[in-house]
């Protein structure tokens, strides 16, 4: 199977910035999936969250500079964790403009295919430094969905710091329960998302659910769950995912 995994900033960052143990735990999971013969493409946030503790000045470009500082540090920890498991990783930075140009997107897909065929694990992020204008909401959630559709992935897994989609905010309501399966993403489902986003990542649940809608509309089963759970990726493949599963449109599998 081919699986795109989007990793949210909060999966990787601890109290003191980037947490190498969290990166290692995640890479362990990714490596387990690869060793079972599956193909993995990672879309990882975390550059800004990693860089911010090093940027002690105020500037309109603060977040962009944080991304420039954080991206190589993030890759450093990914490379370290991957090499331990004999996996070679390659960094791919993209702009939304690249996805709007047929030629660029075609090149992107061709090169990702080539990486996969040579067992190089792609780690994709938005090129925040070069992005025009403000940094906007949930970009990587949607990038992940577009990548998954482009490379015809079988699964799209969005890893975050929450267990999935709840019937109401679990931090505020005792009766909140996890929605285990969503068969159709409509306004009612979007309403469950609330409006909270974290200051480090830019997504929040709504952008994840919208990305899930994009992917499931293209026939890709999508999952949202907590990235710190051991074996969470493998579970998305084995049908015992400890989060929310969004059924793919047009697929009969329940
Ligand atoms: N590209 C941003 C980063 O690496 C995150 C964007 C997002 O969370 O959607 O920090």
């Amino acid at each position: 199977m081919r699986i795109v995994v989007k990793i949210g900033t909060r999966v990787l960052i601890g109290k003191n910035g980037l947490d190498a143990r969290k990166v290692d735990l995640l890479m362990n999971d990714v490596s387990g999936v690869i060793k079972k013969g599956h193909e993995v493409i990672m879309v990882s946030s975390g550059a800004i969250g990693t860089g911010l503790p090093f940027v002690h000045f105020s500037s309109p470009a603060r977040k962009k500079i944080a991304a420039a500082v954080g991206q190589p540090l993030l890759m450093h920890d990914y490379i370290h964790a991957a090499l331990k498991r004999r996996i070679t990783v390659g960094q791919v930075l993209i702009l939304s403009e690249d996805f709007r140009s047929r030629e660029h997107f075609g090149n992107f897909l061709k090169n990702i295919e080539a990486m996969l065929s040579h067992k190089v694990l792609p780690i994709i992020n938005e090129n925040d430094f070069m992005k025009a204008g403000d940094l906007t909401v949930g970009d990587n959630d949607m990038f992940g969905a577009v990548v998954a559709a482009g490379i015809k992935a079988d699964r799209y897994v969005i890893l975050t710091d929450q267990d999935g989609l709840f019937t109401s905010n679990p931090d505020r309501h005792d009766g909140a329960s996890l929605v285990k399966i969503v068969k159709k993403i409509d306004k009612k489902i979007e309403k469950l998302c609330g409006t909270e986003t974290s200051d480090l990542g830019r997504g929040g649940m709504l952008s994840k659910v919208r990305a899930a809608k994009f992917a499931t509309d293209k026939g890709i089963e999508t999952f949202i769950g907590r990235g710190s759970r051991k074996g969470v990726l493998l579970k998305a493949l084995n049908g015992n995912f400890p989060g929310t599963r969004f059924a793919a449109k047009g697929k009969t599998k329940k």
Side-chain angles (χ1 to χ4, degrees):
M1 255 194 253
R2 184 170 274 195
I3 158 169
V4 173
V5 190
K6 188 265 169 174
I7 299 110
T9 297
R10 297 258 170 208
V11 177
L12 306 167
I13 303 285
K15 273 203 298 292
N16 304 314
L18 183 63
D19 184 337
R21 277 169 317 171
K22 291 180 194 273
V23 177
D24 195 67
L25 200 75
L26 178 74
M27 194 52 83
N28 196 44
D29 203 2
V30 168
S31 144
V33 170
I34 293 173
K35 296 215 159 114
K36 287 225 166 344
H38 303 293
E39 291 175 317
V40 177
I41 297 100
M42 293 169 70
V43 176
S44 180
S45 296
I48 298 172
T50 299
L52 275 179
F54 297 91
V55 179
H56 305 289
F57 44 84
S58 69
S59 155
R62 189 161 176 263
K63 277 194 176 173
K64 293 192 175 182
I65 296 169
V69 173
Q71 181 65 28
L73 292 171
L74 177 61
M75 285 311 293
H76 172 274
D77 282 10
Y78 271 132
I79 292 165
H80 184 74
L83 283 182
K84 255 168 70 178
R85 298 168 174 93
R86 297 179 186 282
I87 295 171
T88 304
V89 303
Q91 169 185 271
V92 181
L93 297 179
I94 50 165
L95 286 170
S96 57
E97 285 87 333
D98 297 324
F99 282 12
R100 272 184 245 125
S101 144
R102 190 184 277 262
E103 192 193 349
H104 284 204
F105 193 50
N107 270 335
F108 168 83
L109 296 178
K110 198 174 73 202
N111 295 334
I112 294 288
E113 287 290 351
M115 282 175 107
L116 293 174
S117 72
H118 293 286
K119 312 261 179 265
V120 177
L121 169 64
I123 304 185
I124 303 168
N125 194 4
E126 185 168 24
N127 189 342
D128 290 310
F129 190 82
M130 289 305 293
K131 184 172 174 157
D134 265 356
L135 300 172
T136 47
V137 170
D139 298 322
N140 273 343
D141 297 328
M142 192 50 90
F143 273 135
V146 175
V147 170
I151 58 156
K152 303 196 178 1
D154 303 288
R155 300 274 192 278
Y156 179 35
V157 183
I158 303 177
L159 298 180
T160 180
D161 63 344
Q162 292 167 56
D163 285 317
L165 181 67
F166 279 80
T167 50
S168 55
N169 187 335
D171 298 331
R172 297 206 197 124
H173 304 274
D174 284 344
S177 62
L178 180 72
V179 181
K180 291 198 173 135
I181 165 94
V182 174
K183 295 206 172 131
K184 186 169 183 281
I185 302 172
D186 52 19
K187 286 271 169 272
K188 272 212 306 255
I189 292 293
E190 287 197 1
K191 272 219 176 103
L192 299 181
C193 296
T195 48
E196 283 121 83
T197 57
S198 79
D199 28 329
L200 293 176
R202 302 195 295 267
M205 196 45 80
L206 185 58
S207 92
K208 289 169 185 46
V209 166
R210 288 193 172 148
K213 178 155 177 41
F214 183 92
T216 52
D217 278 352
K218 301 272 193 266
I220 302 164
E221 199 167 44
T222 300
F223 301 79
I224 300 178
R226 188 178 291 279
S228 58
R229 278 188 195 277
K230 222 171 157 208
V232 66
L233 271 188
L234 211 51
K235 288 182 174 152
L237 301 177
N238 292 343
N240 53 348
F241 185 73
T244 305
R245 173 165 77 89
F246 298 80
K249 211 167 155 179
K251 296 266 160 89
T252 46
K253 193 170 158 264
K254 289 271 138 55

